[in-house]
Amino acid sequence: MKLPMSWLNDYTDVNGISPKEYSDVMTMTGSKVEGVENLGAEINKEKKKKILDIKPHEDSDHLVICQVDIGSEILQIVTGAPNVKVGQIVPVALNGSTLPGGVHIKKGKLRGVESNGMLCSHDELGLTPADIGYEPEYGILVLPEDTAIGTDIKDLYGLNENVVEFEITSNRPDCFSVIGLARETAVSFGKPFEVKKPTYNEDSEKITDYINIEVKNTEKCLRYTSKMVKNVKIGPSPKWMVQRLKACGVRSINNIVDITNYVLLEYGQPMHAFDLRDLDGGKIIVRSAEDGEIIKTLDDIDRTLCSEDLVISDANKAVAIAGVMGGFNSEVKPDTSTVVFESATFDGSSVRLTAKRVGLRTEASSRYEKGLDVYNTLPAVERACQLVEMLGCGEVVGGTIDIFPCPKESRTLDFRPDKINAFLGTNVETDKMIDILKNLEFDVDTEKMTVTPPSFRPDIEGEADVAEEIARFYGYDMIPTTLMSGAATLGMKTDRQKAADKINNIMLSQGYSEIYTYTFVSPSVYDKLNIPADNEKRNNVKIMNPLGEDTSVMRTTTAASMMETLARNYNYRNMSAKLYEIGKIYTPKEDSLPNEPDILTVGMYGSGDFFDIKGVCENISSNMHVKDVSFKACTDNPIYHPGRCAVIMSGGTIIGTVGQVHPDVAENFGIEIPVYMAEISLDGIVNNCEYNIKYKHLPKFPAVTRDIAMLVDKTVPVADIQKVIVAASGNLLEDVSLFDVYEGKQIPETKKSAAFSVSFRSSERSLTNDEINIIFDKIVKKLESELGAELR
C-alpha cells in the first residue's frame, strides 16, 4: 500500500514529522514500512524561467539561441525546440542539475555556441499530460503566464511528495486505505483523528424511479449499496486528484473512474460505475453465473465463468464479475450522462477463487479477498457523491438503494487489565489501556469491563488480540526485560528423540546412509509389495485433495519407500547400497486422527547377506540395551523370502521384522539381485530399553571357555539350542556364541551340527575343571532331553 504523506493531513496532522521518524514509529507500532520515495528526488536545480530573446544559430538550421531571465542574471541557452517564443515561461534545467532517468545537465557548446542549461519538455521532467492537466504541444513545456519566475517544478506539479510504502498483513484489511493508516498514524503519534461524514446535495428525484436492484445470492453478496448521478460531464480530473492517484500508482482515466479509484484508496472500499444506458431493463441483479457464461471485462478479454462465480447482471446479460472487474459492455464512456455507483461487500473467499479461476487479480479483488467491513459501503458511496459535487461533474439523484440482508453482529470480549498486564509482563495503567482502545475506535464498557472491537477489525477475536493492541501502542520497547516467573523449565529431548539420535549414530557408524522419503504414496505400491487385497496394510488414510494418484494415500508401511530408493540406486548402477530411514507410517482410527508410529527401516543390497543385516539389528539392540532380544522364523510375510525372514522379539513382544526381500517383490521394483531389509518399531525399542544401566568392574579372575558341538534335527532353530545352554549354565555363564553350523557327508541327512563357544567366569574366585564339568554335563543332558541333541 502506497501512501502520500500529504493525504494524511486530511485526517490527522503529520506536519513537521520527517519521513524517517514517521517510518520508524509506524513500524514499531505494527504498520511495517517497506520504504519511502520522494517523487521528485531525481529532479534537482530546475526552475521556471522567462525567454527574453531568440535568435537563429548561424551553423544550424534548427537550433536557436535564447536569452533566458533566471531572476538573478540572464543566461544563454541553445535549444532545438520548435515552439519557443519570446515571453514564454518555461522550465529550465541549470548547469549541474539532474532529471529523471539519471540525466545530468552540464554547460557546454552546441555547434560552437555556449549553452548554460536546457529547456525541458514534459517528458524530460517525467510528467504526463494528466499531471499537467492538458495535452502539451510538441517541444518544450510552456507554463501558464502567471507562473512566478524561479518556482520549483516539484512544487508546481506536486513532485515534492513523500510516498510511504507499507507492507500490510492480510488480517488488517482496514489498513489497505488512507483512512485506516491515518487512524494508525494518529494513535501512534498521539494526534487527533477525524473522518467527517460526506456531505452533498441531492435532487428531488428518486433512484428507485430509474433502477431496480435485486440480490439473489445473499451468501456471497453480504451488502449492496448504490447511488446514482445524472447530467454527468466526463472529462479530466483536477490536478490534485491526478497527483494523489499517481503517487499511489494509479493512472488517471477520467473524472468518474478516478473518483471510484480515489474512494478505493481513501476508504479501502472498491467501487464501480455503470453507464445506466447499458443496463437493460433498468435492472441490476446480483446472481450466480451460469456454467460457461462469457463476459468481456474492461481489459477487452472474454472470460468464461462457472456457477461458483458471482456476477452483476442486468435483465439480459452479465455486466461485471462481482468483486473482480466490470464488464466492457457497461463501462463509462465519453458521452455517458447517467452513472450508477456500486459499493458492495462480497464474500472474500468467493472473490479470491473467482479471480484465480479467471486469471484476473485486481486492486478490488485483492481487498475483497481479505474480508471487508460491511458497514463501509454506505460512507464510501456517499464520499463518491461528495467528490462528484466537488468536481462539478454531475448531479446526485435523491435516495439510496441499500440491500443489507444479514447485519453483522458485533463481538464483545472481556476486558481484564490485570490479566493483560500479566500476559504482557507490563504495568500499564487501566486508563492508559482505555485511551488506546478508544482511540482505535473500540467500544469500552467500564461498568461491565468489556470491549467491543469496531466492525473494521475482524482480526480481534480474543483477549490476546486486545492485549496486542495495547502492547504495540504502549510501545514494545517500553516492556521491561524480565526473567520468566513461575517454575523454570529445562529444555531437553524426550526418550524417543534421544533414541532416534543414538540410532542415527549407530547406523552411520556401520556405514549406512540416511534417507528421507515422502509419506504420501500411491495405492499401487501394495501390489508391488505382493500384499494381499484383504491385508490390513491396505487400509489407508486417503488424502482429500491429493497432488496426484502417486501421492493420494498415507503409507502404512515404509517398505515401499525403501525399495523405491534402493531401486533408484540400483538403476543408477551403484554396485551396492546401505540405507536407513526413521520415518512415520499412518494407521487409521475411527473418529480420530490416525496413529503415527515411527519406524526404523534398514535396506541393503550388493554387500552382505541375511546374517549381515541381522547383525545390524543385533548391534542396534545391544547398543540400545533392548531387553531379552531374540529372533523367530517368519514364513507368512508376503514382502520377505519365506525361508529367510524372522521377527525380532523383545521378551514376548514383536518389535520388528528382518530378512531377505522376496525375489518377486525385488523384481517388481526392478532389482535383479538379493535385497535385504529390516523394519523395526521405534516405540518397540524405546519401550523395551533397559535405562538403569549399572557399571560393572573389570573381572579379576580368568574365564574358562569350552566348546560344544551337538547334532540336532535340521528343523531345530539354532536360537533354541542357545536358549537351552543359557538356561542350564546358571549364574557362572558369561557368554555363549555360535561359531559353526555344518551339514555334510559325515552328518546324517536329517541332521546338522551346531557348535558353540561357552565362557564361564566367577567374580569371587578362579573356577576349577570339576565345577565346569558339572555345568557341562547339565548342559548336555538338557540338550538331549529337550531337543534330542547328540554330543559329537
Side-chain angles (χ1 to χ4, degrees), residues 74-96:
I74 307 298
L75 292 181
Q76 177 174 285
I77 298 177
V78 179
T79 182
N83 63 329
V84 291
K85 296 179 182 179
V86 174
Q88 289 176 331
I89 307 296
V90 297
V92 178
L94 302 178
N95 178 46

Side-chain angles (χ1 to χ4, degrees), residues 2 89 110 112 127-128 136 169 302 339 391 468 474 479 525 532 562 582-584 630 697 741 790:
K2 291 185 176 181
I89 307 296
L110 291 177
L127 299 173
T128 66
T169 55
D302 289 336
V339 164
L391 271 57
E468 181 185 3
Y474 172 71
I479 299 176
V525 298
M562 176 58 71
I582 299 176
K584 293 185 181 297
S630 61
H697 288 282
V741 177
E790 300 177 21

Side-chain angles (χ1 to χ4, degrees), residues 761-778:
R761 192 193 302 268
S762 171
S763 60
E764 299 174 351
R765 67 186 189 281
S766 296
L767 297 176
T768 65
N769 282 332
D770 291 339
E771 289 179 290
I772 301 303
N773 289 335
I774 293 172
I775 297 172
F776 228 74
D777 289 342
K778 186 177 180 182

Side-chain angles (χ1 to χ4, degrees), residues 11-12 172 174 179-195 415 430-444 451-454 456-457 469-470 472-474:
Y11 302 100
T12 189
R172 291 298 305 274
D174 59 303
I179 290 176
L181 289 172
R183 183 185 297 107
E184 295 285 311
T185 299
V187 182
S188 298
F189 287 92
K191 302 278 189 177
F193 170 76
E194 182 183 12
V195 180
F415 176 51
T430 300
D431 290 342
K432 176 68 174 177
M433 293 185 185
I434 293 173
D435 286 343
I436 291 173
L437 294 174
K438 285 187 174 180
N439 289 335
L440 291 169
E441 301 186 29
F442 285 63
D443 182 16
V444 182
V451 60
T452 303
F456 54 79
R457 291 300 302 274
E469 297 302 296
I470 292 168
R472 66 191 185 97
F473 289 106
Y474 172 71

Side-chain angles (χ1 to χ4, degrees), residues 174-209:
D174 59 303
C175 287
F176 281 92
S177 66
V178 175
I179 290 176
L181 289 172
R183 183 185 297 107
E184 295 285 311
T185 299
V187 182
S188 298
F189 287 92
K191 302 278 189 177
F193 170 76
E194 182 183 12
V195 180
K196 295 180 180 179
K197 179 178 174 59
T199 57
Y200 53 91
N201 296 310
E202 296 182 346
D203 65 15
S204 59
E205 296 182 288
K206 294 182 180 179
I207 185 175
T208 51
D209 293 335

Side-chain angles (χ1 to χ4, degrees), residues 704-708 725 729 733 735-737 756-760 776 779:
V704 178
T705 302
R706 294 278 183 91
D707 293 340
I708 182 173
I725 294 174
S729 297
L733 179 67
D735 183 53
V736 56
S737 60
F756 291 85
S757 177
V758 187
S759 296
F760 302 93
F776 228 74
I779 292 173

Side-chain angles (χ1 to χ4, degrees), residues 536-551:
E536 62 180 7
K537 288 186 182 294
R538 288 184 178 264
N539 185 17
N540 297 290
V541 176
K542 295 179 176 60
I543 307 301
M544 293 181 64
N545 56 339
L547 297 176
E549 178 66 20
D550 290 343
T551 56

